[in-house]
Amino acid sequence: DPRRGDRVSLCDCSAVASRYSAADWHDLRNVLKIFAPLPIFWALFFQQNSTWVTQTSQMDMTLVWGTPDVLASLNDVMVCLMVPSFDRWVYPAF
């Protein structure tokens, strides 16, 4: 009873372990192998975009169309062009 000052465990491992089978834990481990690196990937991905904007703001832009923030949106355009292209021509070749 928390009102009496007893410690309340947020994760009673014995209770959790008894609810799930070994196959469930194996499946969870397989899912975590896939999804655990995603936050690291997205953090690095967005850092790359902001680094690109910072770098282009220091460049001589007379030969390139647009401002640094417009050039950063080229990534979105390239994804929209490359995904269908790879889906239609590159991946079926393998």
Side-chain angles (χ1 to χ4, degrees):
D1 185 17
R3 290 178 291 173
R4 292 186 310 166
D6 294 340
R7 291 184 125 180
V8 177
S9 175
L10 295 177
C11 177
D12 184 9
C13 294
S14 62
V16 172
S18 65
R19 287 187 205 148
Y20 301 105
S21 68
D24 292 334
W25 289 109
H26 179 72
D27 292 342
L28 177 65
R29 188 179 76 218
N30 288 337
V31 169
L32 287 177
K33 283 180 189 176
I34 295 170
F35 288 109
L38 286 179
I40 298 167
F41 167 79
W42 286 113
L44 292 173
F45 179 80
F46 287 122
Q47 179 183 1
Q48 178 265 342
N49 193 24
S50 65
T51 303
W52 190 18
V53 172
T54 304
Q55 181 181 2
T56 56
S57 66
Q58 298 171 1
M59 293 172 58
D60 180 18
M61 302 296 286
T62 56
L63 298 177
V64 181
W65 172 80
T67 60
D69 55 337
V70 172
L71 289 175
S73 65
L74 285 178
N75 183 38
D76 302 330
V77 172
M78 292 300 289
V79 168
C80 290
L81 293 174
M82 297 292 275
V83 167
S85 300
F86 272 66
D87 185 48
R88 176 168 285 198
W89 295 296
V90 176
Y91 294 142
F94 293 104

